[in-house]
Amino acid sequence: MPRIFINGHPVDAERDQSVMEAALANGFYIPYFCWHPELSVAGNCRICCVQVEGRSWVEIACNMPVTENLRVLTDSDAVKEYRKSIMQLMTLNHPVDCGICDKAGECKLQDYHYRYNGAPSLSRDVKVHATKFHPLSERIVLDNERCILCSRCVRFTREISKSNALGIVQRGDSSLVRAAEDRPLDADPYSDNIIDLCPVGALLSRPNLYGARVWYLQPTRSVCPGCERGCNVEIWHRKAEWKLNALDPSRNARIERVTPIDNPRVNGPWICNKGRDLAKIFERPRAESPMQKGKPLELVAAITAARRLIDEAKRPLALVSSWASNEELAAFARVLGRRFTVRVKADHTPQPGERLHDELLIRPNKNPNSRAAMALFAQGDDGSSPLPADTDLVLVWGEGFDFARLPRGARTIFLNAYLQPENGHADVFLPISIQTERSGHYTNFKGEVSAFEACFAKKGSVADAETLFGELAVPLEVDA
Ligand code: SF4
Ligand code: SF4
Ligand code: FES
């Protein structure tokens, strides 16, 4: 374990660390654009310069290995002067259009300009212009004038997603990031990670373009339910104090963007594009009205009707949801588990064209909590074979059940969150809340438990499954 000295303070570094890594791990900040802990070292931005004591020149910290008794200065006069000139160079041809840039508020170039430069441009020459709004893919737009050519995006597609979809063409101030002609970025299911990786506002999300300034939004911790990896994410939505009054009110309670939470045990710093598109899952038309044989009724009356069906059933079977939280599954097992034969259902199956699985994150099981559900109930449902013919009540919890499989004459209680034709066919239909309206945990395929929290309020006519099961378990004579 080499001991080095940063600004005179002793630091015990790991043997294979760079000065950058040792400094960041021990509370000393060194600025960086091109360096990233998960990517190879490119060493091209030069903002991370430090000075080795006794030398008159500066060197980059991201490519400097630690050695015993190495003494570096991160804030000497030479370092400050060099950093300032690097910032001048970075902004030489940069359009400085922060006023309309989606990255404003979380841009390293902005932050470092104020921290390490702050001076107006020295150049009197006209800026070199480059392509603006270049459609890099269906999902991503590139502004070449904002690009500082750090190559993070290119290295990501080479080293992490392995699509090799990006490269840098031409030389000098004509250099441009471009998609490789034969490897479209559209085919890379991890492409949106380059939006996070880009230290400036050169790579932006086309669906979210000009959607909301980042300071109008707040993140809520969540988990992507798109597969059994259970990537940890933040769901960004509008802050109450920045609520829109004049426009469509639904914009105050919608998902504005999704970004990864770095969890080395689950997903590292990445997520796939399906995780970015959680709005497509959660913002489908919702079922909000309880029904009995297709006729709307109050939630209390619907719960009473469902209790009656459970009381009367002789051989009830429940198909539980693999999108339910650990807490909801435990509640079902506790209060209704003995009353029903229970099978675990796959709520979602792979969609046409969807990547089934790969080495990075994507898993073949497209449900977030199958492992926890199987640990409680042991028996899975294959999604196709007939249910036992003597079943007289089927409780279906969540999506993905083919109602043609119902045994003849069996009654049904259906718990679902979304508007679907099957809702009206159930004897009793109970609308339930979705993940963004409640808190809980999922257990991923490796047994890692991740928490999610509520970001939006649920409607009064919609039940929380965890509470609902307690109400369904009360025998009817208790009310009498
Ligand atoms: S587009 Fe962004 S990530 Fe890619 S090279 Fe330019 S600045 Fe770096
Ligand atoms: S890998 Fe799975 S859990 Fe992770 S973001 Fe993609 S779909 Fe969601
Ligand atoms: S962060 Fe070291 S050269 Fe870019």
Side-chain angles (χ1 to χ4, degrees):
M1 200 177 247
R3 168 159 288 195
I4 65 169
F5 294 84
I6 302 178
N7 300 337
H9 299 280
V11 163
D12 289 322
E14 301 293 328
R15 189 159 298 283
D16 53 359
Q17 274 181 328
S18 62
V19 169
M20 169 73 87
E21 289 167 326
L24 293 179
N26 288 280
F28 295 92
Y29 188 72
I30 298 174
Y32 53 89
F33 286 117
C34 69
W35 177 80
H36 187 280
E38 300 285 329
L39 300 176
S40 62
V41 173
N44 61 30
C45 77
R46 324 303 288 180
I47 193 72
C48 67
C49 59
V50 293
Q51 188 174 16
V52 175
E53 283 183 38
R55 294 181 188 164
S56 58
W57 62 91
V58 296
E59 296 157 75
I60 56 172
C62 66
N63 204 27
M64 184 188 291
V66 292
T67 49
E68 190 65 30
N69 285 326
L70 181 74
R71 304 183 74 92
V72 293
L73 302 171
T74 65
D75 271 319
S76 66
D77 287 345
V79 167
K80 285 182 187 158
E81 198 184 320
Y82 187 81
R83 263 186 209 150
K84 190 167 178 172
S85 45
I86 287 292
M87 287 308 299
Q88 290 275 349
L89 181 67
M90 288 286 172
T91 47
L92 190 68
N93 292 318
H94 190 276
V96 200
D97 49 1
C98 312
I100 57 149
C101 178
D102 278 355
K103 194 78 169 186
E106 48 185 19
C107 172
K108 276 197 189 299
L109 198 68
Q110 266 188 342
D111 294 347
Y112 290 173
H113 171 75
Y114 288 111
R115 196 160 164 189
Y116 302 119
N117 180 17
S121 176
L122 299 176
S123 171
R124 294 291 165 265
D125 296 327
V126 176
K127 292 194 184 226
V128 175
H129 291 292
T131 330
K132 295 188 83 72
F133 304 107
H134 174 73
L136 210 50
S137 73
E138 288 294 319
R139 305 178 61 92
I140 298 171
V141 64
L142 164 65
D143 184 324
N144 284 108
E145 288 189 345
R146 295 180 191 157
C147 172
I148 59 166
L149 293 166
C150 72
S151 81
R152 276 180 164 198
C153 55
V154 176
R155 281 176 285 146
F156 175 83
T157 63
R158 289 194 184 156
E159 298 164 13
I160 306 294
S161 71
K162 303 211 164 54
S163 64
N164 289 305
L166 295 179
I168 295 177
V169 297
Q170 301 180 43
R171 293 282 187 275
D173 58 15
S174 301
S175 300
L176 297 170
V177 168
R178 281 288 175 271
E181 283 173 21
D182 57 344
R183 293 173 189 272
L185 191 59
D186 281 317
D188 184 336
Y190 296 97
S191 65
D192 283 21
N193 289 293
I194 65 174
I195 299 169
D196 302 335
L197 276 177
C198 184
V200 298
L203 295 171
L204 297 172
S205 163
R206 293 178 78 177
N208 298 339
L209 199 63
Y210 306 135
R213 307 316 310 242
V214 68
W215 53 89
Y216 293 162
L217 306 179
Q218 69 181 81
T220 297
R221 164 174 274 278
S222 197
V223 180
C224 172
C227 78
E228 60 178 345
R229 170 75 55 182
C231 293
N232 292 196
V233 296
E234 283 182 326
I235 292 181
W236 292 77
H237 49 98
R238 196 164 269 270
K239 289 176 182 167
E241 63 267 34
W242 285 108
K243 181 161 86 69
L244 295 165
N245 292 319
L247 298 173
D248 176 3
S250 70
R251 287 194 57 190
N252 295 318
R254 77 173 193 192
I255 298 172
E256 296 286 351
R257 68 170 181 171
V258 179
T259 52
I261 295 176
D262 187 348
N263 183 343
R265 294 188 315 282
V266 178
N267 52 298
W270 321 120
I271 54 172
C272 79
N273 291 349
K274 186 177 182 183
R276 307 272 171 180
D277 293 340
L278 291 188
K280 286 189 185 162
I281 295 175
F282 291 133
E283 292 177 2
R284 288 177 287 156
R286 293 288 303 281
E288 290 172 355
S289 175
M291 289 185 280
Q292 189 169 23
K293 294 189 191 310
K295 293 212 177 70
L297 74 172
E298 292 295 318
L299 183 60
V300 177
I303 292 172
T304 306
R307 283 165 57 190
R308 179 162 296 115
L309 292 182
I310 294 171
D311 271 7
E312 289 169 2
K314 300 227 166 6
R315 280 168 296 281
L317 181 141
L319 293 154
V320 300
S321 170
S322 44
W323 281 53
S325 68
N326 292 353
E327 292 78 1
E328 290 172 324
L329 291 166
F332 188 91
R334 193 172 56 248
V335 300
L336 289 171
R338 289 214 192 112
R339 182 77 184 88
F340 285 83
T341 301
V342 183
R343 291 186 187 178
V344 177
K345 164 174 74 58
D347 293 30
H348 284 217
T349 48
Q351 296 303 297
E354 181 176 2
R355 181 173 288 193
L356 196 60
H357 66 100
D358 61 25
E359 298 292 305
L360 185 54
L361 296 177
I362 298 172
R363 299 284 307 169
N365 183 340
K366 305 303 179 191
N367 303 281
N369 216 14
S370 300
R371 179 172 168 142
M374 288 300 287
L376 276 172
F377 303 111
Q379 198 183 351
D381 178 64
D382 68 7
S384 57
S385 47
L387 300 177
D390 59 353
T391 306
D392 57 355
L393 173 67
V394 181
L395 184 150
V396 180
W397 176 9
E399 300 177 274
F401 177 69
D402 176 4
F403 280 76
R405 293 173 61 208
L406 280 176
R408 181 182 287 268
R411 293 166 143 192
T412 46
I413 300 171
F414 187 22
L415 278 56
N416 186 19
Y418 299 100
L419 211 52
Q420 285 164 350
E422 295 82 7
N423 299 354
H425 300 159
D427 288 281
V428 177
F429 172 75
L430 295 161
I432 51 173
S433 58
I434 57 172
Q435 186 188 317
T436 51
E437 296 164 347
R438 51 190 164 76
S439 301
H441 296 82
Y442 291 140
T443 305
N444 85 348
F445 72 105
K446 290 197 287 189
E448 293 290 343
V449 177
S450 300
F452 59 85
E453 286 156 23
C455 21
F456 307 123
K458 71 171 183 66
K459 292 244 165 84
S461 59
V462 168
D464 271 324
E466 194 178 342
T467 321
L468 179 64
F469 296 138
E471 291 164 341
L472 290 179
V474 182
L476 275 179
E477 51 270 26
V478 172
D479 288 349

